[in-house]
Amino acid sequence: MSELQQKPELLGMFPDELRDYMLSLGEPKYRAAQMFPQLHRGISPQDMTSLPKATRARIAETAQYHLPEVRRKLVSALDGTVKYLFSLSDGNCVESVIMRYKHGISICISSQVGCRMGCKFCASTIGGRVRNLTAGELIGQIIAAQNDLGERISNIVMMGIGEPLDNYDNVLRFLKLVGHEEGLNIGYRHISLSTCGLADGIDRLAEEALPITLSISLHAADDETRSQIMPVNNKYPIERLLDSCRRYFRKTGRRISFEYTLIAGKNDSPQAAVKLAALLNGSLRSRQETMPIHVNLIPVNPVEETGFAKSSHRAVLTFAEVLEKHGVRATVRRTLGADINASCGQLRRAEEQQSE
Ligand code: SAH
């Protein structure tokens, strides 16, 4: 690891940590209080004119401050969705996507460079995991996008490249930092985290009792099918995963949503829909408590290497109807940015192949 990487990262520090750091340089406390909001607006300490020159030099020697840089930017002509390919300080790339909704602007951020979960339909996992993102790099994606857009981002979804619960400590730090009112001020209720089902991580997160929305990438209603497309299911089979979902709901009171990617001929039959409804109703709603459940249906985005095909429109609608008939609320995910290949992992992959 290079010296640069070992220097503490200013953007990942809580206000009290920044204060201790500035005290360690012999600076008064108020300097840290001045710096925190500026760092989170994207101002480098080197550009903070309120800091004495010698202090700026000491900071440059002993700490680091980097924002992801825009390497490519694609804007959808259809709906204004923006996709960024960001380069990080070590040259690795990740993607973030901006989506415009009536209630505000959402950003989908990446949590790792690559991924090691091995889901068979996913582009992000093809080259494995390169490294985790730091808390500063997680928050940096939002600052960089916000500054580029010149508009405030109000919602976060952790659904980009990587498995957030496989980078637990940095992600938790990020979740706690991003709501700070002197920073980005994005509260827990405006954050969703999507996981392929690392049940231990869900249990740890439940103990924090943060009111964020949890999204579970389920994609199959039986262990055999799920294990075929998601290796994580071998470690945490469906019932173990749903146990963790129940605990999460009890701790946080938050609705859990389930992602279900429809793959032609694999998991998209009406029988599969009946099985899914029975699973969710049986496992999550048979006790005294009635857990609010929502299923998001996503027609699979074909990735060249995976060989999976999208379900027909008819099959998607029928699947949704069967779920509704069995009392499970379902929506078909609106495809945003269809003209810019906005599904995560695909832009980074294309960039890597160019340089191979
Ligand atoms: N690792 C996390 C978050 C990243 S993926 C997770 O697994 O939830 C975000 C969502 O996109 C997941 O539901 C994932 O299963 C889904 N996804 C991945 N590749 C896809 C593809 N080619 N088509 C449709 N959805 C896909």
Side-chain angles (χ1 to χ4, degrees), residues 121-122 159-160 162-164 194-196 217 219 259 261 300-301 303:
F121 44 82
C122 179
M159 265 202 193
E163 167 49 48
S194 179
T195 175
C196 65
S217 298
H219 305 327
E259 310 288 318
T261 293
V300 76
N301 213 313
V303 175

